[in-house]
Amino acid sequence: LQSFGECYWYVHGYYSLIVCLFGVITNFINIAVLTKKSMRTPINCILTGIAIADLVTMLSYIPFAIHFYIANDIKATPSKYSFSWSVFMAIHVNLTLTTHTVSIWLGVIMAIMRWVFVRNATPNNRKNSENRSAIIIIVMTYIGSAILIIPNCFVTGIHEEFSEEHNGSMYRLNSLSLTNETSSMAILNFWVYPVFGKIIPCVLISIFGGFLLHTLRESDRRGSRLKGDNHKCHAHRRTTLMLLAVIVMYIISEVPQSILVVLCACVQGFFVDVYLPLSDLIDAIALINSAINFVMYCTMSQQFR
């Protein structure tokens, strides 16, 4: 794993920069299209909230990738880990954890909302009020995710290290691995974030994604697709399939990472020995998930095109 992590390190900076630049542009397009008056629905409001979270994630990742992967070598140096850049890294870590949590929880809400819609197949006569409700849900999700990351903000510290090789001081983030001397706040953080930021949303999005797929198949078997005229039925079905694709991408990117995060809290030394060598690859998968929605919207939604 150490060898793999070191080999991939030299690729990750350029890869993540390309993905982030593509993702920034496409998420701006997502927001512009989904907020058009003709596109304003509760589901599209949720997708807009996801696009904003993904956009912030990648905007933060671009300077991080340029400085720590492209402009500097893999070895730690005082210029690479100056105090200002270490402060930036601390802010970047907590900001991206927040936006990533927002994204996965909005994915859960989207799955639940679409399942309820397909299951009931009722016409929407209160579009404006439902859009306002969706906006309130999005705002509460952002606030709740920020509160969830507060323990991680408290345990994110910077310490000074003197490098005899470079005859200068480096500033590094404190290790997050658990030891006998680990503070109670760090232990709390190790369990709060994996449970509420990873395990619960992954379980919920998998369950309601399964419910949505089952309901769609039942609707197909009855031959009715959805209530209403045939054109609307096919349009609703394509929208549901597109959202299912978004849900599947969340499951693919989040479930393996959730398992690793839980093992970090349960297995001594797992964070240093396993998670850290794979951390760049985990970031790479998460970045793909943040950038690929535009491709799925264009491929599967005629209205979006």
PDB file of all heavy atoms in Angstrom, residues 28 42 78 84 101 105 131 141 184-185 191 221 238 269 280 301:
ATOM      1  N   PHE A  28     -21.094  24.883 -12.591  1.00  0.00           N
ATOM      2  CA  PHE A  28     -21.657  26.203 -12.882  1.00  0.00           C
ATOM      3  C   PHE A  28     -22.798  26.065 -13.898  1.00  0.00           C
ATOM      4  O   PHE A  28     -23.851  26.706 -13.764  1.00  0.00           O
ATOM      5  CB  PHE A  28     -20.580  27.143 -13.438  1.00  0.00           C
ATOM      6  CG  PHE A  28     -19.891  27.960 -12.383  1.00  0.00           C
ATOM      7  CD1 PHE A  28     -18.514  27.885 -12.211  1.00  0.00           C
ATOM      8  CD2 PHE A  28     -20.619  28.822 -11.564  1.00  0.00           C
ATOM      9  CE1 PHE A  28     -17.873  28.638 -11.237  1.00  0.00           C
ATOM     10  CE2 PHE A  28     -19.980  29.590 -10.590  1.00  0.00           C
ATOM     11  CZ  PHE A  28     -18.606  29.497 -10.425  1.00  0.00           C
ATOM     12  N   PRO A  42     -38.874  20.674  -6.882  1.00  0.00           N
ATOM     13  CA  PRO A  42     -38.189  20.310  -5.636  1.00  0.00           C
ATOM     14  C   PRO A  42     -36.940  19.459  -5.861  1.00  0.00           C
ATOM     15  O   PRO A  42     -35.897  19.700  -5.230  1.00  0.00           O
ATOM     16  CB  PRO A  42     -39.272  19.529  -4.872  1.00  0.00           C
ATOM     17  CG  PRO A  42     -40.556  20.102  -5.361  1.00  0.00           C
ATOM     18  CD  PRO A  42     -40.330  20.415  -6.805  1.00  0.00           C
ATOM     19  N   PRO A  78      10.114  22.837   4.261  1.00  0.00           N
ATOM     20  CA  PRO A  78       9.559  24.034   4.921  1.00  0.00           C
ATOM     21  C   PRO A  78       8.706  24.894   3.986  1.00  0.00           C
ATOM     22  O   PRO A  78       7.723  25.503   4.428  1.00  0.00           O
ATOM     23  CB  PRO A  78      10.808  24.779   5.392  1.00  0.00           C
ATOM     24  CG  PRO A  78      11.836  23.715   5.573  1.00  0.00           C
ATOM     25  CD  PRO A  78      11.569  22.716   4.494  1.00  0.00           C
ATOM     26  N   SER A  84       1.330  29.261   6.641  1.00  0.00           N
ATOM     27  CA  SER A  84       0.143  29.725   5.905  1.00  0.00           C
ATOM     28  C   SER A  84      -0.483  28.594   5.101  1.00  0.00           C
ATOM     29  O   SER A  84      -1.716  28.462   5.057  1.00  0.00           O
ATOM     30  CB  SER A  84       0.515  30.885   4.983  1.00  0.00           C
ATOM     31  OG  SER A  84       1.553  30.508   4.092  1.00  0.00           O
ATOM     32  N   THR A 101     -20.297  16.118   3.137  1.00  0.00           N
ATOM     33  CA  THR A 101     -21.412  15.649   3.969  1.00  0.00           C
ATOM     34  C   THR A 101     -22.730  16.219   3.452  1.00  0.00           C
ATOM     35  O   THR A 101     -23.748  15.509   3.390  1.00  0.00           O
ATOM     36  CB  THR A 101     -21.191  16.074   5.434  1.00  0.00           C
ATOM     37  OG1 THR A 101     -19.925  15.572   5.883  1.00  0.00           O
ATOM     38  CG2 THR A 101     -22.295  15.516   6.326  1.00  0.00           C
ATOM     39  N   TRP A 105     -25.903  13.817   2.087  1.00  0.00           N
ATOM     40  CA  TRP A 105     -27.212  13.915   2.739  1.00  0.00           C
ATOM     41  C   TRP A 105     -28.271  14.451   1.789  1.00  0.00           C
ATOM     42  O   TRP A 105     -29.436  14.025   1.834  1.00  0.00           O
ATOM     43  CB  TRP A 105     -27.125  14.782   4.003  1.00  0.00           C
ATOM     44  CG  TRP A 105     -26.770  13.987   5.218  1.00  0.00           C
ATOM     45  CD1 TRP A 105     -25.590  13.996   5.909  1.00  0.00           C
ATOM     46  CD2 TRP A 105     -27.606  13.035   5.889  1.00  0.00           C
ATOM     47  NE1 TRP A 105     -25.638  13.116   6.959  1.00  0.00           N
ATOM     48  CE2 TRP A 105     -26.867  12.516   6.978  1.00  0.00           C
ATOM     49  CE3 TRP A 105     -28.904  12.571   5.686  1.00  0.00           C
ATOM     50  CZ2 TRP A 105     -27.384  11.556   7.851  1.00  0.00           C
ATOM     51  CZ3 TRP A 105     -29.425  11.611   6.543  1.00  0.00           C
ATOM     52  CH2 TRP A 105     -28.665  11.121   7.610  1.00  0.00           C
ATOM     53  N   ASN A 131     -41.257  23.986  -3.679  1.00  0.00           N
ATOM     54  CA  ASN A 131     -39.911  24.500  -3.945  1.00  0.00           C
ATOM     55  C   ASN A 131     -39.355  25.228  -2.720  1.00  0.00           C
ATOM     56  O   ASN A 131     -38.178  25.073  -2.378  1.00  0.00           O
ATOM     57  CB  ASN A 131     -39.937  25.455  -5.143  1.00  0.00           C
ATOM     58  CG  ASN A 131     -40.083  24.722  -6.466  1.00  0.00           C
ATOM     59  OD1 ASN A 131     -39.938  23.508  -6.525  1.00  0.00           O
ATOM     60  ND2 ASN A 131     -40.385  25.465  -7.514  1.00  0.00           N
ATOM     61  N   THR A 141     -29.789  21.332   5.759  1.00  0.00           N
ATOM     62  CA  THR A 141     -28.750  20.319   5.521  1.00  0.00           C
ATOM     63  C   THR A 141     -27.363  20.939   5.595  1.00  0.00           C
ATOM     64  O   THR A 141     -26.435  20.357   6.182  1.00  0.00           O
ATOM     65  CB  THR A 141     -28.958  19.656   4.145  1.00  0.00           C
ATOM     66  OG1 THR A 141     -30.268  19.084   4.077  1.00  0.00           O
ATOM     67  CG2 THR A 141     -27.920  18.563   3.910  1.00  0.00           C
ATOM     68  N   SER A 184     -10.607  13.056  24.459  1.00  0.00           N
ATOM     69  CA  SER A 184     -12.000  12.604  24.344  1.00  0.00           C
ATOM     70  C   SER A 184     -12.692  13.260  23.155  1.00  0.00           C
ATOM     71  O   SER A 184     -13.558  12.646  22.520  1.00  0.00           O
ATOM     72  CB  SER A 184     -12.763  12.922  25.634  1.00  0.00           C
ATOM     73  OG  SER A 184     -12.685  14.302  25.945  1.00  0.00           O
ATOM     74  N   MET A 185     -12.329  14.519  22.831  1.00  0.00           N
ATOM     75  CA  MET A 185     -12.915  15.195  21.682  1.00  0.00           C
ATOM     76  C   MET A 185     -12.545  14.488  20.383  1.00  0.00           C
ATOM     77  O   MET A 185     -13.375  14.321  19.482  1.00  0.00           O
ATOM     78  CB  MET A 185     -12.453  16.656  21.638  1.00  0.00           C
ATOM     79  CG  MET A 185     -13.008  17.446  20.452  1.00  0.00           C
ATOM     80  SD  MET A 185     -14.803  17.588  20.444  1.00  0.00           S
ATOM     81  CE  MET A 185     -15.025  18.783  21.777  1.00  0.00           C
ATOM     82  N   TRP A 191     -16.087   8.953  16.035  1.00  0.00           N
ATOM     83  CA  TRP A 191     -17.334   8.190  15.954  1.00  0.00           C
ATOM     84  C   TRP A 191     -18.492   9.006  15.407  1.00  0.00           C
ATOM     85  O   TRP A 191     -19.359   8.459  14.704  1.00  0.00           O
ATOM     86  CB  TRP A 191     -17.690   7.642  17.344  1.00  0.00           C
ATOM     87  CG  TRP A 191     -16.817   6.482  17.711  1.00  0.00           C
ATOM     88  CD1 TRP A 191     -15.816   6.469  18.635  1.00  0.00           C
ATOM     89  CD2 TRP A 191     -16.827   5.174  17.122  1.00  0.00           C
ATOM     90  NE1 TRP A 191     -15.204   5.242  18.677  1.00  0.00           N
ATOM     91  CE2 TRP A 191     -15.800   4.420  17.748  1.00  0.00           C
ATOM     92  CE3 TRP A 191     -17.588   4.570  16.127  1.00  0.00           C
ATOM     93  CZ2 TRP A 191     -15.539   3.107  17.417  1.00  0.00           C
ATOM     94  CZ3 TRP A 191     -17.314   3.250  15.791  1.00  0.00           C
ATOM     95  CH2 TRP A 191     -16.313   2.538  16.429  1.00  0.00           C
ATOM     96  N   ARG A 221     -44.221  -3.119 -14.644  1.00  0.00           N
ATOM     97  CA  ARG A 221     -44.966  -4.378 -14.763  1.00  0.00           C
ATOM     98  C   ARG A 221     -46.458  -4.123 -14.937  1.00  0.00           C
ATOM     99  O   ARG A 221     -47.146  -4.856 -15.640  1.00  0.00           O
ATOM    100  CB  ARG A 221     -44.728  -5.259 -13.529  1.00  0.00           C
ATOM    101  CG  ARG A 221     -43.635  -6.313 -13.747  1.00  0.00           C
ATOM    102  CD  ARG A 221     -43.769  -7.420 -12.709  1.00  0.00           C
ATOM    103  NE  ARG A 221     -43.437  -6.940 -11.381  1.00  0.00           N
ATOM    104  CZ  ARG A 221     -42.220  -6.987 -10.859  1.00  0.00           C
ATOM    105  NH1 ARG A 221     -41.213  -7.459 -11.581  1.00  0.00           N
ATOM    106  NH2 ARG A 221     -41.994  -6.542  -9.653  1.00  0.00           N
ATOM    107  N   ARG A 238     -37.574   8.552 -17.366  1.00  0.00           N
ATOM    108  CA  ARG A 238     -36.188   8.921 -17.665  1.00  0.00           C
ATOM    109  C   ARG A 238     -35.571   9.713 -16.514  1.00  0.00           C
ATOM    110  O   ARG A 238     -34.409   9.514 -16.155  1.00  0.00           O
ATOM    111  CB  ARG A 238     -36.133   9.754 -18.961  1.00  0.00           C
ATOM    112  CG  ARG A 238     -36.289   8.952 -20.237  1.00  0.00           C
ATOM    113  CD  ARG A 238     -35.821   9.760 -21.443  1.00  0.00           C
ATOM    114  NE  ARG A 238     -36.588  10.998 -21.575  1.00  0.00           N
ATOM    115  CZ  ARG A 238     -37.701  11.111 -22.293  1.00  0.00           C
ATOM    116  NH1 ARG A 238     -38.190  10.049 -22.924  1.00  0.00           N
ATOM    117  NH2 ARG A 238     -38.318  12.278 -22.383  1.00  0.00           N
ATOM    118  N   GLY A 269      -3.954   1.514  14.378  1.00  0.00           N
ATOM    119  CA  GLY A 269      -2.958   1.681  13.326  1.00  0.00           C
ATOM    120  C   GLY A 269      -3.512   1.644  11.912  1.00  0.00           C
ATOM    121  O   GLY A 269      -2.748   1.822  10.953  1.00  0.00           O
ATOM    122  N   ASP A 280      -5.350   9.432  -1.287  1.00  0.00           N
ATOM    123  CA  ASP A 280      -5.407  10.137  -2.570  1.00  0.00           C
ATOM    124  C   ASP A 280      -6.367   9.451  -3.541  1.00  0.00           C
ATOM    125  O   ASP A 280      -7.112  10.121  -4.269  1.00  0.00           O
ATOM    126  CB  ASP A 280      -4.013  10.217  -3.194  1.00  0.00           C
ATOM    127  CG  ASP A 280      -3.097  11.174  -2.452  1.00  0.00           C
ATOM    128  OD1 ASP A 280      -3.623  12.049  -1.736  1.00  0.00           O
ATOM    129  OD2 ASP A 280      -1.868  11.041  -2.571  1.00  0.00           O
ATOM    130  N   SER A 301     -31.251  13.169 -19.607  1.00  0.00           N
ATOM    131  CA  SER A 301     -32.370  14.099 -19.472  1.00  0.00           C
ATOM    132  C   SER A 301     -32.486  14.987 -20.694  1.00  0.00           C
ATOM    133  O   SER A 301     -31.646  15.866 -20.934  1.00  0.00           O
ATOM    134  CB  SER A 301     -32.202  14.970 -18.218  1.00  0.00           C
ATOM    135  OG  SER A 301     -33.202  15.977 -18.185  1.00  0.00           O
TER     136      SER A 301
END
